[in-house]
Amino acid sequence: MDAIEVLVRIAWLIGAASFVLGLMRMNSPATARNGNLLSAGGMAIAIGGTAVLLAVNGSASATGWIIIVVGIAIGGGAGLYTARTVKMTAMPQLVSLFNAVGGGAAALIAIDDYLRLASEGASIALQISIPTVLDILIGSITFTGSLIASGKLMGVISGKPIVLPGGRLITLAIVLVAAAGSIYLWTGAVSVPVMFLILAAALVFGVTMVLPIGGADMPVVISLLNSFTGTAVAMAGFVIGNDVLIIAGALVGASGAILTKLMADAMNRSVLSIMLGGFGGGEGTVGATTATGGSVRELGLDDAAIQLAYASSVIIVPGYGLAVAQAQHACRELGELLESRGVDVKYAIHPVAGRMPGHMNVLLAEANVPYPQLKEMEEINPEFDRADVALVVGANDVTNPAARKPGSPVSGMPILDVDHAKAIIVIKRSMGRGYAGIDNELYGNPKTGMLFADAKAGLADLVNAVKAL
């Protein structure tokens, strides 16, 4: 091993350490941005070290260098453009697309390596064939599954569970084909057609796996597919013998798996039950009445402003409706205004509020809401009993008291105890249902006043009304 290779391996080690430290800093909203930059810097160091090694060894031809440079320019340019232009409401869709790109790229590495080994005519060692086949399987499932998830989030594909005729039998047949093909290749046999059969089975499985899952479960699905992407990248590292890929993939796979488990627990459901077919009728279905039979009370703007301005404690509950309306800045303005009047303001964050893990945290952090005011569900729920007003902005299923009763699609799902507050104000455009497709019993609560408005416009009107008091 010459000096250059030693330096490159040191660069890879620095990159890997940056991934670990960056992931640790992402544990808190206050340090997440720096953690992201640290991880990106580590990746840049790892890529730079690899480029130096290729140049010194001469293992890349002129055509290869052109492909590398053009690929980095196109991929990096597209990533920079989308990251800077994407709306915060479209971030879950973008994350799903990134999952698809990561999984697909990892699968292509394994496919290319298998074709190269197969062309040499010799049998493939088990320690190579196992990660190669797993990479193809997991990466391909991630690719098509993430595309379907992104389509559901974009509205291109219905958010309702889509069950194909005989879908479970098709899925079972696909699993058997993939398993049989994998075992065949692991016995030492070399067969390009079997490899492509496994590839096709995995691509179809990604579609049949995600289609039956309802929109309400998309946060968990995104997290799970993110874990799949990391696992596929780790397998790609084993295929080409790259330690940085193994470490980076393992970190993403492990953290994604842990987050998936936490998200499933927040819905009081197992990951297996979610993957076997979610619930949810899709967003936008209108419910005229509540399950409790209570009447809905509409609240005037001035009445809502008075309740907020003269309260001692207000808890703001953001939901996806806030994200759709891009109302995070107006929400922060109202919070600051109430604080200037001596009101204690906190923000209640449900783990699955929005369409991806941490969606509400990202939105409110972007609006410069102080991190200490962002309270997770376990921390904020005991405080609702002492709150004068709970202000719900575009949140639906995560506030539905029906979750405490058996027989509901959301039964057992931990919710924010909004109905324990002394008064409740709900800003909502209409009586439309959330992704679970059921009426929200909170709206029929005698303590609840409905302020029908777009979240951004409604919050702006509240700010002006409070200022006028």
Side-chain angles (χ1 to χ4, degrees), residues 140-331:
S140 301
I141 291 171
T142 305
F143 178 71
T144 52
S146 296
L147 290 178
I148 296 298
S150 183
K152 280 178 172 282
L153 293 169
M154 290 179 184
V156 177
I157 301 174
S158 174
K160 298 179 180 179
I162 300 175
V163 181
L164 301 174
R168 296 195 184 279
L169 291 176
I170 294 173
T171 301
L172 178 61
I174 292 170
V175 170
L176 293 176
V177 168
S182 301
I183 293 172
Y184 176 73
L185 295 183
W186 289 339
T187 61
V190 178
S191 174
V192 173
V194 171
M195 185 274 290
F196 278 113
L197 180 64
I198 294 172
L199 172 64
L203 291 172
V204 176
F205 181 79
V207 176
T208 59
M209 178 184 76
V210 179
L211 272 182
I213 301 175
D217 291 325
M218 278 303 112
V220 181
V221 174
I222 291 175
S223 180
L224 181 65
L225 291 172
N226 181 254
S227 177
F228 283 5
T229 299
T231 305
V233 170
M235 291 300 106
F238 283 110
V239 169
I240 63 176
N242 188 290
D243 295 337
V244 178
L245 276 181
I246 295 172
I247 294 172
L251 287 172
V252 174
S255 59
I258 293 170
L259 183 57
T260 301
K261 179 63 167 60
L262 292 174
M263 299 288 288
D265 290 345
M267 302 176 70
N268 196 34
R269 306 176 66 211
S270 68
V271 176
L272 182 61
S273 68
I274 291 171
M275 301 316 295
L276 288 177
F279 65 87
E283 188 178 35
T285 309
V286 175
T289 61
T290 61
T292 57
S295 59
V296 173
R297 177 172 63 92
E298 188 170 353
L299 188 67
L301 182 65
D302 291 336
D303 291 336
I306 289 172
Q307 288 188 42
L308 291 169
Y310 295 105
S312 297
S313 173
V314 171
I315 298 177
I316 300 175
V317 182
Y320 187 68
L322 177 140
V324 170
Q326 291 286 284
Q328 61 269 29
H329 294 280
C331 188

Side-chain angles (χ1 to χ4, degrees), residues 219 262-263 266 349-353 356-359 376-378 398 414 416:
L262 292 174
M263 299 288 288
I349 310 297
H350 193 282
V352 294
M356 64 179 287
H359 199 181
E376 300 299 330
M377 180 175 63
E378 293 80 7
V398 297
L416 293 166

Side-chain angles (χ1 to χ4, degrees), residues 14 45 54 87 95 102 106 190 230 232 249 285 322 337 354 378 409 425 434 442 449:
I14 293 172
I45 292 172
L54 289 174
K87 295 180 180 179
V95 170
V190 178
T285 309
L322 177 140
L337 177 61
E378 293 80 7
I425 300 173
L442 181 70

